[in-house]
Amino acid sequence: MVASSHSAMAFPLLKYLLVFTCFMIGICSAQLTNNFYDRTCPKVIKTIKKAVDDAVYRERRMGASLLRLHFHDCFVQGCDASVLLDDTPNFTGEKNSFPNANSLRGFEVIDNIKSQLEELCPGVVSCADILAVAASEAVGILGGQRWNVPLGRRDSTSASLSEANSDIPAPFLDLNGLISTFSNKGFTVQEMVTLSGAHTIGLVRCRFFRDRIYNETNIDPSFSAAMKEECPFDDGDDNLSPFDSKTPMYFDNAYYRNLIESKGLVHSDQQLFVDGSGLTKRQVIAYSKNFGRFKHDFANAMFKMSQLSPLTGSDGQIRNNCHFINPTTDE
């Protein structure tokens, strides 16, 4: 079909708007493709999926850990595997930030995958792509919907402790703070509610919910009493409890039913269903009644998140070891 003169004139403007949008919100998938490794490492997807399947079947909690690793990576500098970098004499990585210290896990699963891929196709597959595929597979195993993961990310040569402390959504945020934090990464209010549903799986430390169970009033009394047994007032900072007390190891919509019952464990979760929350409250109710809608929306939101500011082309590097930047040739 031959384009009309009007369409031909409109195309440059459309292209400009797409580029401008990519620049403004840091989401640009033009250089990520589904067939990126078809020639250079054709078994990459199969290798990652099998390793994740094995890890999650050994320990179901690992599914939430792998999803969280990818989430915390993408919210700091984009999806560039900066979260995996260990501290060096020259910089402090993101692992020791407030949201991550003594909390992030699953590194051994990523290391195992990287080791296998280095044997199959040395220096080809990035740690950032491994994280992205692993997250999708982990959610799928636990009952959610896998999402398409275009590939071609490269790994960063830096990390940011300060951004990890400031950019990752904190469990004590009020609703406006949550909206602002997600908006800064290009997500709508609706997508924020959807992505918060990641807390349908996984565990959280006592220090992050103690203030809620002892001081807040919009909490079910019996639930609060049970949680106080798990999280004493002056002890047990690192005691673990599930975000979702109903089905913590299954990706479902019980998280949203908990919020309606005032059983959100951390302050930021319950904020989605506080008086006056309007749009978020209606969305919580909708998801509580329709798991199919939630898991579909979650997959779409994660697809978008997986494309936050990827390093592509000649930017960054393909790390030989996910924990360390490759040594330069003059070292």
Side-chain angles (χ1 to χ4, degrees), residues 8-272:
M9 292 176 64
F11 180 75
L13 177 59
L14 176 61
K15 182 177 181 181
Y16 168 80
L17 289 173
L18 288 172
V19 171
F20 178 75
T21 301
C22 269
F23 174 77
M24 288 300 292
I25 66 175
I27 298 175
C28 191
S29 59
Q31 297 182 70
L32 301 179
T33 64
N34 290 321
N35 61 354
F36 188 83
Y37 296 112
D38 281 4
R39 293 185 179 182
T40 57
C41 197
K43 294 183 179 180
V44 60
I45 301 298
K46 180 180 179 181
T47 301
I48 297 173
K49 286 187 172 184
K50 185 180 186 309
V52 172
D53 290 358
D54 290 346
V56 176
Y57 283 127
R58 284 194 303 269
E59 182 196 8
R60 288 188 67 87
R61 182 188 169 195
M62 188 56 68
S65 298
L66 293 172
L67 174 61
R68 188 165 181 258
L69 261 183
H70 180 49
F71 197 109
H72 282 215
D73 179 44
C74 292
F75 259 70
V76 182
Q77 298 187 167
C79 306
D80 61 359
S82 61
V83 73
L84 302 178
L85 287 172
D86 286 349
D87 293 351
T88 73
N90 298 320
F91 74 85
T92 302
E94 297 163 18
K95 293 178 181 178
N96 285 318
S97 65
F98 177 73
N100 296 338
N102 302 314
S103 175
L104 283 184
R105 58 197 303 273
F107 298 107
E108 71 279 7
V109 177
I110 304 302
D111 292 342
N112 174 44
I113 296 169
K114 180 63 173 175
S115 178
Q116 292 184 51
L117 292 174
E118 285 299 301
E119 289 187 12
L120 288 173
C121 35
V124 172
V125 182
S126 70
C127 303
D129 275 346
I130 294 172
L131 281 174
V133 176
S136 175
E137 183 62 15
V139 168
I141 295 170
L142 295 182
Q145 179 177 316
R146 294 169 178 84
W147 53 92
N148 178 44
V149 184
L151 301 169
R153 297 165 192 79
R154 288 168 64 84
D155 301 323
S156 70
T157 57
S158 65
S160 177
L161 177 65
S162 62
E163 287 185 32
N165 280 320
S166 64
D167 289 12
I168 295 172
F172 51 77
L173 288 177
D174 289 336
L175 183 61
N176 287 339
L178 284 170
I179 292 172
S180 176
T181 299
F182 279 85
S183 176
N184 288 340
K185 301 299 177 183
F187 293 107
T188 65
V189 174
Q190 292 89 340
E191 288 167 336
M192 179 271 291
V193 176
T194 303
L195 289 171
S196 296
H199 286 172
T200 190
I201 52 177
L203 307 177
V204 58
R205 286 181 292 168
C206 164
R207 70 179 65 188
F208 293 124
F209 64 84
R210 177 183 285 117
D211 187 65
R212 170 159 166 74
I213 63 174
Y214 283 96
N215 297 317
E216 296 187 14
T217 57
N218 61 336
I219 186 169
D220 178 83
S222 61
F223 175 69
S224 176
M227 289 300 98
K228 288 174 182 177
E229 293 293 323
E230 305 295 328
C231 181
F233 183 78
D234 55 2
D235 191 20
D237 276 4
D238 292 327
N239 291 356
L240 293 168
S241 294
F243 282 106
D244 168 14
S245 57
K246 290 184 172 67
T247 54
M249 299 300 168
Y250 293 89
F251 191 96
D252 56 22
N253 60 343
Y255 164 83
Y256 296 101
R257 297 198 301 274
N258 287 335
L259 301 185
I260 294 172
E261 297 169 8
S262 298
K263 295 179 181 178
L265 185 54
V266 299
H267 177 82
S268 58
D269 284 343
Q270 194 61 49
Q271 284 292 291
L272 303 182

Side-chain angles (χ1 to χ4, degrees), residues 279-293:
L279 178 62
T280 65
K281 197 169 187 177
R282 290 193 295 272
Q283 191 172 343
V284 167
I285 294 171
Y287 282 161
S288 74
K289 298 176 179 178
N290 190 335
F291 173 51
R293 176 179 170 185

